[in-house]
Amino acid sequence: MFATYLIGLREGLEATLVVSILVAFLVKSQRRDRLPQVWLGVGLAVAVSVFFGWLIEYTSTSLLATSNQRELFEAITSVAAVVFVTWMIFWMRRAARSIAGELRSRLTEALAVGSAAVAVMAFLAVVREGLETALIFYSAAQGAADDTAPLFALIGGIVTAMVLGILIYASAMRINLSRFFTWTGALLILVAAGILKYGVHDFQEAGVLPGLNNLAFDISATLDPSTWYAALLAGMFNITPAPTVFETIAWIGYAVPVLLFFLRPGRRTPASAQSAPPTTSPASEAPASQHA
């Protein structure tokens, strides 16, 4: 459950910050008349993301006839989710300090074109986060003992992100976004390692990879699967007491190098680090009269 909550929190906050930047720019530019188009684009993006999530689930449960087909489908979506997670965390690390300027530039161009362009721009800015969330959530929730618990955890993460985004926009609180995305990025790398491990297991179940019964180790006597901490490790990072050799290779082969590369010291100078605005809220773009 924590893994899906983290996915909802991370992706939700990214989307919320994007919307906050767009809204704050329109408020500052005295173009409140274009706010309905922004919300229309956001609403359409949410609808498309929900439909995409439903389509993935429907394909797995209704369109695929055999268990091997379902296992292969789940394996492919797991690998795709890992690719998206990896790309997302490194993209956010690189683009976090310039995303506000890029969004404002694109919105300025959209305003010059017309209201439809504003809606399309808002749609494109949010829909990527939504599609990623749907795919990653589906992969992370595979094998959950309770079908509804991961969904509630995801919704909880999204709601938390929306509350944080509103508070940041209203300048009621300031958080170090750089540190937030670093910590959540590191945790998501471990979650992605678990998703990849699950994908490898599905490939083995589908007969694409051998070694389904070739265990790397078995520590069930030490890590009892029935205990709460074993369930927590399995639910968060897919760490299980009796993994196959290929599963173990996949988990370690992904988690260790990617985590080390992600956490490596940055190359920014102290001066540039001080000039970066990791804690600046989108509301700071609004006119002073908005805070009176």
Side-chain angles (χ1 to χ4, degrees):
M1 284 184 58
F2 178 77
T4 52
Y5 176 84
L6 179 64
I7 291 168
L9 177 62
R10 166 85 184 213
E11 293 284 349
L13 188 57
E14 287 185 23
T16 301
L17 289 175
V18 167
V19 175
S20 298
I21 290 169
L22 297 180
V23 171
F25 179 75
L26 289 176
V27 170
K28 179 181 179 180
S29 304
Q30 302 297 323
R31 297 302 304 270
R32 291 176 177 268
D33 59 308
R34 295 305 188 191
L35 288 177
Q37 284 76 39
V38 170
W39 295 120
L40 175 62
V42 172
L44 289 175
V46 172
V48 169
S49 302
V50 172
F51 174 77
F52 179 65
W54 172 84
L55 184 61
I56 295 176
E57 180 65 22
Y58 180 75
T59 300
S60 176
T61 57
S62 301
L63 298 184
L64 301 179
T66 66
S67 60
N68 280 353
Q69 289 177 338
R70 287 190 290 270
E71 297 289 351
L72 184 58
F73 177 78
E74 291 175 2
I76 293 173
T77 56
S78 294
V79 172
V82 172
V83 172
F84 275 115
V85 169
T86 308
W87 176 83
M88 172 191 68
I89 59 178
F90 281 100
W91 176 84
M92 178 54 70
R93 178 182 179 179
R94 176 180 57 84
R97 291 182 298 276
S98 61
I99 187 172
E102 293 177 3
L103 286 172
R104 289 193 292 268
S105 176
R106 293 176 187 175
L107 187 55
T108 300
E109 296 173 359
L111 286 170
V113 174
S115 59
V118 174
V120 171
M121 190 267 173
F123 171 82
L124 294 177
V126 176
V127 73
R128 178 182 63 84
E129 305 292 345
L131 296 179
E132 286 178 0
T133 302
L135 180 60
I136 298 168
F137 166 72
Y138 172 80
S139 300
Q142 295 303 310
D146 188 340
D147 292 337
T148 59
L151 178 60
F152 287 133
L154 179 74
I155 294 174
I158 293 174
V159 171
T160 303
M162 292 175 62
V163 172
L164 289 175
I166 292 171
L167 292 176
I168 292 172
Y169 178 82
S171 295
M173 67 174 294
R174 293 178 181 270
I175 63 175
N176 190 318
L177 294 177
S178 177
R179 183 172 299 175
F180 171 85
F181 285 121
T182 297
W183 280 103
T184 56
L187 288 173
L188 277 179
I189 289 173
L190 298 180
V191 171
I195 294 174
L196 181 61
K197 177 175 174 285
Y198 192 90
V200 169
H201 181 79
D202 282 335
F203 276 127
Q204 292 179 311
E205 290 276 4
V208 176
L209 290 177
L212 181 60
N213 298 315
N214 187 12
L215 300 182
F217 52 83
D218 188 348
I219 56 172
S220 300
T222 303
L223 186 64
D224 187 351
S226 64
T227 60
W228 67 268
Y229 51 86
L232 183 64
L233 288 174
M236 289 177 59
F237 310 124
N238 200 15
I239 296 177
T240 55
T244 67
V245 172
F246 279 2
E247 288 175 359
T248 305
I249 292 174
W251 200 100
I252 297 176
Y254 173 86
V256 173
V258 175
L259 195 59
L260 290 176
F261 187 70
F262 179 73
L263 295 177
R264 78 192 191 283
R267 297 181 179 179
R268 291 182 298 161
T269 62
S272 63
Q274 293 175 0
S275 64
T279 60
T280 301
S281 71
S284 62
E285 300 295 334
S289 59
Q290 300 299 321
H291 303 288

